[in-house]
Amino acid sequence: MADKKNLLLLFEHPTEPVFMDKGKTVTVFDVPDSFLTDRYRPISNEVQSRVGEKVEQRVPVREISIPDLRIPMSLGRDEQFSLFLPKHRRIAGRLIDIFMNMRSVDDLQSVAVYARDRVNPVLFNYALSVALLHRPDTQGLDLPSFSQTFPDRFIDSQVMRQLREESFVVQSGSRMPITIPRDYTASDLDPEHRLWYFREDLGVNLHHWHWHLVYPFEATDRSIVAKDRRGELFYYMHEQVIARYNMERFSNNLSRVQPFNNLREPIAEGYFPKMDSLVASRAWPPRFENTSLSDLNREADQLNVEIGDLERWRDRIYEAIHQGFVMDERGTRIPLDEAKGIDHLGNMIESSILSPNRVLYGDLHNNGHTFISYSHDPSNKHLESFGVMGDVSTAMRDPVFYKWHSYIDRIFQEHKSRLPAYTDTQLNYTGISITGIQVATNGGQANALSTFWQQSDVDLSRGFDFLPRGNVFARFSHLQHLPFTYTISVNNDGGAQRFGYCRIFIAPKNDERGQPMLLREQRLMMVELDKFVVSLNPGPNTIRRRSTESSVTIPFERTFRNLDANRPTAGSPEELEFNFCGCGWPNHMLIPKGLPEGLRCDLFVMISNYENDRVDQQLVGRCSDAASYCGVRDRLYPDRQAMGYPFDRLPRTGADRLVNFLTPNMSIVDVNIRHENRTVTRQTR
């Protein structure tokens, strides 16, 4: 029987032939001659014996009848792959189905080995990743970081050249990390470049890639797509990204991002990625300032879409919101109610097989990405591929991503604004009162948070092909903060032990003009920091919670996980903890940068009634520690309240300011976020 862990080796060195050695333990797949491509089949003995000189482990591959791969192979191996293109989503859905339908790990290994040298490398990585995450017999596998497999999606192409030189000339044990420059995409003449550390952060972009891996668009097995509250999660995760981005803008003396409301107006911002695609052997194309969208007519991509189509879909979605229902394909009305309305809207706007009516409501979100990503060559006259907005692993690098998603979020907020405001009864937890909040770093001043720059190393060796083996490190700069602890004092007057859901948010106190924010605006900038269950004994209680325990984030080691180093003993309880999903906001980006003089914020804490919020299910070993943005694999979202509660709706009458919104089970404290312009180096790899 095949060892399922060997399937992870198929992600390494993605453009090399499958029979080449892989892994830290030099491993080769013994590939049947009939599985080799036409180039290598006639000389199989020669190439396989040469590769096998230093082999420490061999993986036998069983020869089986191969399913029809014509659809997956219709995308060229040297083409760019995009989840936003309908044609590519169908191709990916077919390959996912093939991998999911294999009866055993043995058969999956055989068909994956056969497919690996014949289908597009990025398509292969995506489809196999989705299958391994969803097959019952491969659930425990820890997928390698996408940045390690395709480093070209994340770093400057000049650094790629230096990394190749270092790995070719210098022996493995003596190699030095190559530093990724901080300012390689633009200069400070471009105000948007002040946000480079957010938009171009490796962990932020990996989160976006992995989220779309966990929530794919297409598959014959509907359960792969139809996860609990999928549409609502699409809304909430991206709403939180925009809230975080706007806090970063305030941290750089910039105003909130302006939504891309008029699709016929030029896009003021340009973006020059300075990256090459190793798969396509082409540079990622730039977008010049003041580029306008044009109707798309690209025969090779089966794309013939007009800007008018986007506008019609948008208008129909707004009409559905204002009517309070959507029409499915049979003409049945589906209410956009308080419970499920946001979920239906999310499935319509990010169109997938779950959309209630794709013909009527179209493919707004995905096509928006596509229109922007092809704005430099809408008719394929210059044979150019899409820009960074066309790929989920690179889209967040571009300033226009945030304009586009602010526009998408406005549509969601139109629905949310039509829901009744939460009443005192829906917000209060009778008998529970918060009597004090303090947040502090170790030995630091109370209610003051501190950020700085950190340089960290990431091993990219799995993504380099046809080079001497061994670690190849890139050193990148990222935002970091001092760890901190919340101390929350709570009084329980109920006379018996009770349980609550502690919800922590942060938002700026003042707008870009320095004026105190009205709650109807401030709620849209409320960033969720944590959410967890607390046990409250009768009388006074003190709750302490560390920032590293956040329900939003995953630690650095899991964002850039090294699958070989520090792995716990197989079968141990610690390995269960190690084998979580890779989906989660990076912990180093938990709080915004702040300002040298301090960014004044409201830290909000609420303890809601857990009896109203609880979802009874077993979560041990279920990727539950970053559930706020990612959900829980194969389980229900672990909170019955709407995502973003209590700030997902307009405040009740009289609650114009946050202080007027508070009930006894809520409290706020002034927090100052100060940024120190210093750089430290992470000591461990």
Side-chain angles (χ1 to χ4, degrees), residues 243-262:
R244 288 178 173 278
Y245 188 67
N246 280 326
M247 284 196 76
E248 298 295 350
R249 293 181 73 83
F250 281 20
S251 299
N252 288 278
N253 297 305
L254 295 170
S255 61
R256 276 166 281 188
V257 66
Q258 291 301 306
F260 189 22
N261 289 327
N262 186 345

Side-chain angles (χ1 to χ4, degrees), residues 509-520:
K509 290 181 72 71
N510 300 323
D511 65 16
E512 39 281 81
R513 297 166 300 168
Q515 300 300 308
M517 293 183 80
L518 292 170
L519 182 54
R520 62 185 300 124

Side-chain angles (χ1 to χ4, degrees), residues 81-82 84 122 153 209 284 386-395:
F81 167 72
S82 172
F84 296 122
V122 184
R153 304 299 178 97
W209 158 262
W284 286 87
F386 49 79
V388 293
M389 270 290 280
D391 188 282
V392 293
S393 67
T394 56

Side-chain angles (χ1 to χ4, degrees), residues 182-244:
R182 286 172 44 153
D183 296 298
Y184 67 87
T185 53
S187 72
D188 288 340
L189 292 174
D190 178 11
E192 294 296 324
H193 185 62
R194 298 179 204 172
L195 278 296
W196 69 269
Y197 65 90
F198 185 95
R199 291 186 287 100
E200 295 168 0
D201 183 80
L202 274 71
V204 166
N205 284 279
L206 279 169
H207 163 75
H208 193 237
W209 158 262
H210 209 107
W211 192 94
H212 284 279
L213 200 66
V214 176
Y215 294 96
F217 298 88
E218 309 266 345
T220 302
D221 182 352
R222 189 176 172 86
S223 67
I224 294 176
V225 183
K227 296 186 175 72
D228 184 52
R229 297 169 72 175
R230 180 198 193 279
E232 185 178 7
L233 259 175
F234 169 77
Y235 144 73
Y236 186 59
M237 189 275 283
H238 288 87
E239 186 272 340
Q240 284 285 286
V241 165
I242 298 303
R244 288 178 173 278

